[in-house]
Amino acid sequence: MRHYRLTSYFLLIAACIMLLTACGKTEYSNVRVYFVFDNSRHLDPTLAAAMNPVNSSIFCRVYRIDAGHIGFENNQGQKSKVMMSAIERQGNTMLGIYNESGVIVGYGFTSVGGDMHEFYAYDAQCPNCYKEYNMPRYMLSLNSDGTAYCSKCKRTYSLKNGGVTDNGDKLLRYRATSTGPNGILAINN
């Protein structure tokens, strides 16, 4: 019975997130992505730092290690991994292009005014190199200043301001919400 309640809880949260994020003018990628993670159960400090709205320049890459483990690394040098619960493993996790690249999450600023915090989720793959070579091999590296860098095409993306480069190119963005550092992270498209 507890398993049923927890599954229902995750599905309800995911449905609410989809409804809340369906409106608006933000352009989201059409790449399939799905991840629901309960950090109140795992208390992962690497992820928690990026899920805190006060930390508007800490971003964390979330990636699949294997069928049962998720890895986290943030732009402040922290790394960790956790074993997913049975319920989390049932969720058909898809993290980034071909489920290989992972996603980058964290709080930045809204494009309007720049003083309000907005939770972002981006693909960890360089979209320009992926478009040019059609292969998910060009993982972005995270910089401590809230940017991501591609060593192949030499582009730098601002994670704090919508994933934009100086020339206007953008990272692939996903719908995502965070209920706080030790809460639920949900990413979907």
Side-chain angles (χ1 to χ4, degrees), residues 11-24 175 177 188:
L11 291 175
L12 177 63
I13 288 173
C16 289
I17 289 166
M18 288 173 24
L19 287 173
L20 291 172
T21 60
C23 299
R175 289 176 178 86
T177 59
N188 63 26

Side-chain angles (χ1 to χ4, degrees), residues 87-152:
I87 294 169
E88 290 162 342
R89 286 193 301 267
Q90 290 176 349
N92 294 323
T93 296
M94 289 292 293
L95 288 168
I97 294 173
Y98 297 116
N99 204 21
E100 288 186 28
S101 53
V103 295
I104 299 169
V105 298
Y107 278 93
F109 302 106
T110 61
S111 55
V112 179
D115 58 348
M116 294 178 56
H117 298 286
E118 183 172 351
F119 192 70
Y120 290 104
Y122 307 106
D123 201 283
Q125 163 75 40
C126 175
N128 297 291
C129 291
Y130 176 69
K131 188 184 333 178
E132 185 172 338
Y133 302 105
N134 201 27
M135 300 173 99
R137 291 188 182 163
Y138 307 101
M139 186 79 58
L140 297 167
S141 59
L142 299 175
N143 299 321
S144 61
D145 64 354
T147 60
Y149 177 73
C150 177
S151 60
K152 175 72 174 167

Side-chain angles (χ1 to χ4, degrees), residues 52-115:
N52 188 340
V54 175
N55 299 333
S56 60
S57 61
I58 296 180
F59 288 86
C60 180
R61 185 167 80 91
V62 180
Y63 56 97
R64 180 188 293 269
I65 295 174
D66 56 40
H69 293 87
I70 295 293
F72 305 103
E73 65 180 57
N74 68 26
N75 63 335
Q76 304 303 307
Q78 289 180 296
K79 291 183 179 185
S80 57
K81 72 177 183 176
V82 298
M83 180 179 281
M84 292 191 299
S85 69
I87 294 169
E88 290 162 342
R89 286 193 301 267
Q90 290 176 349
N92 294 323
T93 296
M94 289 292 293
L95 288 168
I97 294 173
Y98 297 116
N99 204 21
E100 288 186 28
S101 53
V103 295
I104 299 169
V105 298
Y107 278 93
F109 302 106
T110 61
S111 55
V112 179
D115 58 348

